[in-house]
């Protein structure tokens, strides 16, 4: 499978970066199978797929929904995170983050990393998710069941 890096909301191809198989911000529901397929290959014995979903609570409060907003350059930051992890690990990586209105149970982020062995795939996937959470300018507004809301920087 050729390396491909996308990241514009419409999914137009961006400059390809070795090891980055998929990197995009999406307003559409996420498809874990597509993210998995982006990194899968016969040379790999392990694919670690991470799905982050909207949960029904946070900090002791009941959450009814989330609204994700992204900076106009968020896709570029996401591609850069993916490229850094792919380069440092030498592994294929993929990540898609959702924006817009999400309800409990919706997927907010899906990442995948393939490797010959599980330990390196788990380590690289953990690094990828941590970097996305800390470096990609995406904010979420948590809507609580009591009608209050709160803005936080987070990735799912």
């Amino acid at each position: 499978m050729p390396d491909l890096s996308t990241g514009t909301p419409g999914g137009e191809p961006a400059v390809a970066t070795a090891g980055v198989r998929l990197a995009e911000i999406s307003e559409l529901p996420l498809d874990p199978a597509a993210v998995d397929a982006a990194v899968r290959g016969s040379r790999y014995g392990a694919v670690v797929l991470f799905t982050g979903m909207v949960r029904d609570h946070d900090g002791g409060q009941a959450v009814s929904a989330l609204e994700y907003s992204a900076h106009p350059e968020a896709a570029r930051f996401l591609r850069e995170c993916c490229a850094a992890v792919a380069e440092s690990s030498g592994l294929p990586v993929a990540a898609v983050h959702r924006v817009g209105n999400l309800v409990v149970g919706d997927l907010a982020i899906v990442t995948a990393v393939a490797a010959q062995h599980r330990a390196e795939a788990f380590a690289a996937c953990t690094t990828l998710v941590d970097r996305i959470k800390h470096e990609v300018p995406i904010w979420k507004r948590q809507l609580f069941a009591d009608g209050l809301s709160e803005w936080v920087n987070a990735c799912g």
Side-chain angles (χ1 to χ4, degrees):
M1 170 181 285
D3 284 349
L4 112 104
S5 175
T6 61
T8 58
E12 295 86 15
V15 176
T17 303
V20 178
R21 303 294 173 84
L22 178 64
E24 70 181 34
I25 305 295
S26 177
E27 294 179 3
L28 302 173
L30 304 183
D31 179 6
V35 179
D36 177 272
V39 299
R40 188 171 291 278
S42 61
R43 64 185 293 190
Y44 305 112
V47 173
V48 170
L49 181 75
F50 170 78
T51 58
M53 65 189 74
V54 178
R55 62 180 180 262
D56 67 358
H57 68 280
D58 188 49
Q61 292 184 294
V63 172
S64 58
L66 297 180
E67 296 173 3
Y68 279 97
S69 297
H71 185 278
E73 294 290 316
R76 179 178 60 84
F77 283 94
L78 180 63
R79 285 191 305 274
E80 289 173 0
C81 287
C82 289
V85 173
E87 183 178 340
S88 67
S89 67
L91 302 173
V93 303
V96 182
H97 200 298
R98 179 119 180 250
V99 293
N101 299 321
L102 285 74
V103 298
V104 172
D106 282 348
L107 296 178
I109 185 172
V110 179
T111 64
V113 176
Q116 291 186 19
H117 304 284
R118 70 180 179 272
E120 60 188 330
F122 274 109
C125 195
T126 297
T127 299
L128 179 61
V129 173
D130 288 345
R131 286 193 72 150
I132 292 168
K133 184 173 181 85
H134 292 99
E135 297 175 26
V136 180
I138 295 176
W139 303 272
K140 70 179 175 183
R141 179 177 175 221
Q142 298 186 114
L143 305 172
F144 297 111
D146 62 8
L148 297 176
S149 67
E150 170 184 64
W151 283 95
V152 294
N153 177 294
C155 97

